[in-house]
Amino acid sequence: MSRGRRLVATLLAVALLTACGAEDTSEPRPWHDGRIFLATGNTTGVYYQLGGGYADVISRHLPGYEARAEPTGASGENITRLADGDMEIAFSLADTAADAIAGRGAFNGRPQPVRALARVYSNYTHVIVRADAQIAALSGLRGKRVSTGSPKSGTDVIAARMLAAAGLDPERDVRRARLSLPETVARMRSGTLDAMFFSGGLPTPGIADLLTNAPDRFRLLPIADLIEPLNATHGSVYTTGELPRDAYDTPSDTPTVTVANVILVSAEMPDDLAYDLTRLLFTYQADLALAHPEARNFDRESAATTDPIPLHPGAARYYQGG
């Protein structure tokens, strides 16, 4: 539902209650009339699966509220829609959220009023190339047809930064396409792309679909050697890790670059609601893990370490045991 349609629905509801004299003023009405929309990501990504699980947990265990997960272009779009009041909860990569808080990058001069509920799991950067393209390093993408993810997504941001770290201009040195994960996978299969980027949890369903159905046609590119130029330019938001061989049944582990994910809300969200939404993440963690196994990696001890993204006061109270 668009922001305009939601506004019209709210105004109609208020008008009806007023006309009928039926508004109950004995208790405060739920924030945003009890409707919570979650901005997630591409339908074949982890955000969408976890968002659906989280929406179900909220609807079942938070009286007065009904939640729904919405597919989006992910991090950048999610933050914009959250700040605009079109969404109540948003998944985001920590680097994009840090840019939003500071008013830089895609948010240049426009700091966004968002706050974190939790740092959750880490995203792994997947760079996949055609096996017959003879690409041994990221610098080998010069002149190639490359998908860097949905416009304004965290993947798109990371891809541009990684290409620059490899000495390539993302706009001039590669034939760049900004495509959703389903579109990217379809074009990799059709042979109209040479390489793709995607930042996601493990396993990302769309990536699994590509690699397991055509194991000899595509391969993951090791990129962990770019961590030093990345962090020299962008700070220590990036770390290294390995895409384990059992994630996609590949011949070996693949060294890569990782970045944390955060769950964001508006700075205007009431403290009690932010507290409850944070509490649900850990009280019903096992239920979330049924939606996607990355939920098993939520760690209450490290969830509050969202710097430079400020914690919402309600979330901070939860971690402090209040």
Side-chain angles (χ1 to χ4, degrees):
M1 183 184 295
S2 69
R3 186 182 181 189
R5 290 174 63 191
R6 291 171 61 189
L7 178 59
V8 169
T10 300
L11 291 174
L12 286 173
V14 170
L16 286 171
L17 287 170
T18 302
C20 298
E23 185 171 5
D24 182 4
T25 59
S26 60
E27 294 184 2
R29 294 175 62 184
W31 193 61
H32 286 198
D33 289 324
R35 294 184 177 184
I36 293 179
F37 290 83
L38 290 82
T40 61
N42 295 168
T43 55
T44 56
V46 177
Y47 281 177
Y48 187 69
Q49 293 195 337
L50 277 178
Y54 193 18
D56 182 58
V57 165
I58 293 168
S59 298
R60 287 190 292 117
H61 299 293
L62 191 57
Y65 286 92
E66 181 177 351
R68 188 172 77 187
E70 296 285 338
T72 69
S75 300
E77 178 187 333
N78 290 357
I79 291 172
T80 298
R81 296 181 71 178
L82 182 65
D84 286 347
D86 194 36
M87 295 283 159
E88 284 70 44
I89 299 173
F91 286 78
S92 175
L93 289 172
D95 58 346
T96 304
D99 284 352
I101 289 294
R104 63 177 180 243
F107 305 96
N108 188 36
R110 299 176 293 107
Q112 302 295 298
V114 299
R115 298 293 182 264
L117 295 184
R119 172 180 176 171
V120 281
Y121 64 98
S122 289
N123 262 21
Y124 292 73
T125 306
H126 303 66
V127 180
I128 301 172
V129 298
R130 287 185 14 242
D132 62 358
Q134 298 182 339
I135 300 169
L138 210 65
S139 58
L141 295 182
R142 186 180 299 274
K144 302 297 186 182
R145 302 163 297 178
V146 182
S147 172
T148 59
S150 299
K152 299 184 179 181
S153 67
T155 293
D156 197 36
V157 171
I158 289 175
R161 291 177 175 181
M162 295 197 70
L163 288 167
L168 300 175
D169 184 320
E171 301 300 337
R172 297 180 181 180
D173 292 336
V174 299
R175 296 160 64 184
R176 186 176 188 177
R178 289 181 167 96
L179 304 171
S180 70
L181 182 56
E183 292 174 301
T184 297
V185 168
R187 288 190 53 179
M188 287 290 285
R189 281 190 178 131
S190 70
T192 56
L193 284 175
D194 301 305
M196 62 169 285
F197 286 79
F198 192 77
S199 178
L202 301 179
T204 292
I207 301 294
D209 185 40
L210 178 67
L211 294 179
T212 58
N213 286 324
D216 298 327
R217 288 188 60 197
F218 308 103
R219 66 183 187 87
L220 288 159
L221 199 65
I223 51 173
D225 59 313
L226 296 174
I227 191 66
E228 289 188 11
L230 272 175
N231 284 343
T233 304
H234 304 289
S236 58
V237 68
Y238 299 109
T239 55
T240 59
E242 290 194 337
L243 285 160
R245 58 186 298 178
D246 59 359
Y248 303 109
D249 195 25
T250 53
S252 61
D253 297 343
T254 305
T256 191
V257 171
T258 63
V259 61
N261 289 289
V262 289
I263 297 177
L264 304 174
V265 295
S266 167
E268 298 178 356
M269 177 176 279
D271 288 3
D272 286 347
L273 178 56
Y275 175 94
D276 283 332
L277 291 173
T278 309
R279 174 180 56 81
L280 292 177
L281 286 171
F282 298 96
T283 303
Y284 297 99
Q285 188 172 355
D287 290 5
L288 294 175
L290 295 177
H292 193 280
E294 279 289 9
R296 300 191 191 108
N297 294 319
F298 293 10
D299 181 4
R300 191 182 187 279
E301 297 303 314
S302 63
T305 57
T306 61
D307 188 67
I309 306 122
L311 271 178
H312 191 288
R317 177 160 59 89
Y318 170 77
Y319 297 118
Q320 293 162 2

